[in-house]
Amino acid sequence: MHIDVGHVLRHSASLPYADLVTRSTGAAVRRCIEAELAGLSEGDVATLDFTHIGMMDYSCADEVVAKLLLDLARRGARPSSLVFHGITDAHVEAIEDVLLHHGLALVVHFADGAARLIGAASDDERALWQLVHLRGASDVADLARESARESADILVVLEALLDRRLLKREGSTFAPIGVAA
Amino acid sequence: MTAVITVPSSLDDLSFEQVLDQLAAHPPDAKVIVDARHCSFASPYGLTALLTLAQTRSERPTFLPPEDADKLTYWARAGFFRYAEELYDVQGVVPRPRSASESDVLLELTPITQSDDVHTVVERIKDKATQILTNRLHLISRATMGFTMALSEACQNIVEHAGRGGWVMVQVYQYRKRLGGRQVCVIAVCDAGVGFRRSLESSPRRPLTDRWDDGFALETAVVNGISRYGDPGRGQGLKGIRGYVHRWDGKLSVRSGTARIALVPPWDDDVPRRDNLAPFPGSQLQITIPEKSAA
């Protein structure tokens, strides 16, 4: 599922703005996004597209990003993963700050196509996420060999990334989520 | 009896205390004349604070504008008289402001009462801010993004906490007192609302301590990021402002009630906290971002 956040802002939330600023705006947009996500099936990946959003402030990021992720996690809700697309410098600072504040992490795809894991993640989580992102779907043995680590050690980290919906399972492999088209 | 409150010749966040010291002796229903005839410089903080001062008076005060024609024109361009005429009996003839596009003020005095006003401020300033911060303050683009975010959060504090409207103003000027005459960009956001202490007192999140006063309330909110709302995501606006100011070697000062705290950069010699100031309702915030040093 692809959700154009700019469209949500201007049409679903009926707010005539280009920027995600103020907490009340963020709350209105989040409620609209939650309504759309309710229609997803288990295991789907939803992409939130920020291409048509100007800037985002901390309060709005707390509503649109952190509260959305927290609500999804709390309710064990669908979809299984959420990916942010079209992120620019005008968004990333606020997003990263609120993620760190709540101990959350997220996969973001920048406007230039680059993907990054941002927010609260350990060095191990970041390194393995990066490795999976570079290699594509990989099994534990390959990842252990590539990172010169014990399989049992990295399995713990990979499971944590799965729990946090930052990677997905594909058969016996671990795969990146929401690779931008 | 009518009291005359003399506005210092240079009016900024620190010298505004002289205005409040004079005002402290007169109850809100006392008639006052605010005399700015000899004021030759007013920072955005000075202008926004003068408007909020009038809001705190139950007896409509009188205002004597600067005598110097250039200063008078600047105050008009900043939009001061547009709002002052609603709050003061402004004496004499003041110039009509020219259109905003002719103004050299980054953001003229702008009232903030609701969320839509914050959107309006962001829409109006973001492109111009990027251009000025890049060209005049030589900051990188990431700094300009953070600037607009900090401005947005500072304005939202009025909407979320003050309980009444306030004003914002943004200006770039040469900082003569320090920094070797480098340019600074200054955001001033002032309101005459409930202030930090009363805002936090309405919440169970208020720390229980015998030391509770305006200064403690300011530290609780500005330094520790605690808001009156129970939501754990609250309080990030001021935290974000603090981070931004620190990252770009700026200065943040917040006054509320009888106290003022400041995040003081190495280029300034302000003190981190002042208590027992003359009382003044609401919150008055100033962010100063300096031109990037050539060194």
Side-chain angles (χ1 to χ4, degrees):
Chain A
M1 174 181 264
H2 180 270
I3 299 172
D4 181 340
V5 180
H7 188 272
V8 170
L9 173 66
R10 286 178 284 278
H11 298 282
S12 307
S14 299
L15 296 167
Y17 309 120
D19 302 299
L20 278 178
V21 296
T22 80
R23 190 165 284 277
S24 56
T25 298
V29 168
R30 174 173 49 80
R31 284 192 288 270
C32 294
I33 293 172
E34 282 172 345
E36 294 205 33
L37 293 179
L40 287 170
S41 303
E42 186 68 38
D44 284 349
V45 175
T47 300
L48 297 188
D49 188 348
F50 288 79
T51 304
H52 301 113
I53 292 294
M55 62 156 293
M56 190 186 319
D57 69 13
Y58 303 103
S59 299
C60 219
D62 188 59
E63 289 289 335
V64 175
V65 181
K67 281 194 178 166
L68 193 60
L69 292 176
L70 287 168
D71 284 353
L72 288 171
R74 193 178 302 124
R75 291 187 282 123
R78 294 165 293 181
S80 63
S81 302
L82 207 54
V83 176
F84 283 26
H85 182 67
I87 297 297
T88 68
D89 282 349
H91 314 128
V92 75
E93 185 168 326
I95 293 176
E96 191 145 35
D97 262 35
V98 300
L99 291 174
L100 288 169
H101 180 82
H102 290 281
L104 297 166
L106 183 67
V107 178
V108 299
H109 291 267
F110 285 85
D112 64 4
R116 221 173 90 197
L117 175 62
I118 64 169
S122 67
D123 290 346
D124 269 355
E125 285 175 325
R126 283 185 197 285
L128 266 175
W129 181 87
Q130 187 67 28
L131 189 58
V132 173
H133 185 77
L134 288 171
R135 289 176 54 94
S138 309
D139 62 26
V140 177
D142 287 343
L143 292 169
R145 192 165 42 251
E146 187 81 20
S147 57
R149 305 266 307 267
E150 292 294 327
S151 293
D153 289 346
I154 67 161
L155 187 57
V156 172
V157 182
L158 290 167
E159 294 287 356
L161 290 168
L162 275 185
D163 283 348
R164 302 183 75 188
R165 306 168 189 225
L166 300 170
L167 291 179
K168 64 181 178 185
R169 276 249 193 230
E170 275 184 7
S172 63
T173 65
F174 293 84
I177 56 163
V179 175
Chain B
M1 195 176 114
T2 301
V4 177
I5 308 295
T6 305
V7 176
S9 62
S10 177
L11 182 64
D12 60 17
D13 57 321
L14 294 177
S15 63
F16 190 74
E17 295 301 328
Q18 296 171 34
V19 173
L20 297 180
D21 287 342
Q22 296 172 67
L23 202 63
H26 307 287
D29 59 352
K31 177 73 179 170
V32 297
I33 296 172
V34 177
D35 181 0
R37 284 176 301 165
H38 304 295
C39 183
S40 59
F41 169 81
S43 71
Y45 184 100
L47 295 178
T48 48
L50 280 177
L51 292 178
T52 54
L53 182 158
Q55 281 184 305
T56 68
R57 309 300 297 175
S58 53
E59 174 71 23
R60 188 178 171 90
T62 296
F63 187 80
L64 305 180
E67 287 180 339
D68 182 289
D70 288 344
K71 307 300 177 251
L72 197 61
T73 303
Y74 169 75
W75 287 45
R77 276 208 314 267
F80 179 79
F81 297 114
R82 187 180 305 141
Y83 304 106
E85 284 174 338
E86 296 169 8
L87 299 161
Y88 288 99
D89 288 326
V90 177
Q91 300 293 295
V93 178
V94 294
R96 294 294 102 195
R98 293 173 297 174
S99 71
S101 59
E102 292 176 74
S103 173
D104 56 359
V105 178
L106 191 46
L107 179 74
E108 307 85 30
L109 279 158
T110 304
I112 302 291
T113 57
Q114 55 188 355
S115 273
D116 282 355
D117 297 329
V118 182
H119 278 279
T120 304
V121 163
V122 168
E123 288 285 323
R124 280 175 55 190
I125 203 171
K126 64 178 182 180
D127 291 338
K128 204 169 168 185
T130 300
Q131 187 188 346
I132 286 181
L133 294 177
T134 307
N135 295 341
R136 287 176 62 179
L137 267 61
H138 310 297
L139 300 179
I140 62 172
S141 70
R142 188 158 181 185
T144 69
M145 305 292 178
F147 181 84
T148 312
M149 283 159 59
L151 174 66
S152 166
E153 297 292 349
C155 292
Q156 279 180 73
N157 275 338
I158 294 180
V159 179
E160 300 262 345
H161 302 287
R164 75 188 299 182
W167 282 271
V168 57
M169 181 177 166
V170 186
Q171 172 71 309
V172 176
Y173 55 87
Q174 192 178 28
Y175 199 55
R176 295 183 194 282
K177 282 186 0 189
R178 308 200 184 281
L179 289 165
R182 274 151 64 190
Q183 304 267 320
V184 291
C185 188
V186 176
I187 298 173
V189 180
C190 293
D191 70 74
V194 300
F196 279 82
R197 183 171 55 81
R198 276 184 57 202
S199 175
L200 283 166
E201 281 173 355
S202 68
S203 161
R205 301 189 77 203
R206 175 209 141 162
L208 294 172
T209 168
D210 293 340
R211 293 168 49 223
W212 182 250
D213 57 13
D214 287 317
F216 201 99
L218 276 171
E219 285 194 356
T220 301
V222 180
V223 179
N224 302 325
I226 292 175
S227 138
R228 71 185 162 110
Y229 296 103
D231 180 345
R234 292 289 186 144
Q236 291 184 71
L238 278 170
K239 184 180 159 207
I241 292 174
R242 232 178 49 233
Y244 174 75
V245 165
H246 178 72
R247 209 153 38 244
W248 301 102
D249 195 27
K251 178 179 176 183
L252 168 69
S253 67
V254 189
R255 189 196 199 284
S256 186
T258 57
R260 175 181 182 275
I261 63 171
L263 211 72
V264 185
W267 50 262
D268 196 66
D269 62 359
D270 201 351
V271 294
R273 177 167 161 175
R274 291 172 199 259
D275 292 284
N276 304 312
L277 299 172
F280 191 54
S283 309
Q284 298 81 42
L285 176 149
Q286 179 174 267
I287 298 168
T288 306
I289 301 297
E291 177 183 351
K292 192 179 172 198
S293 167

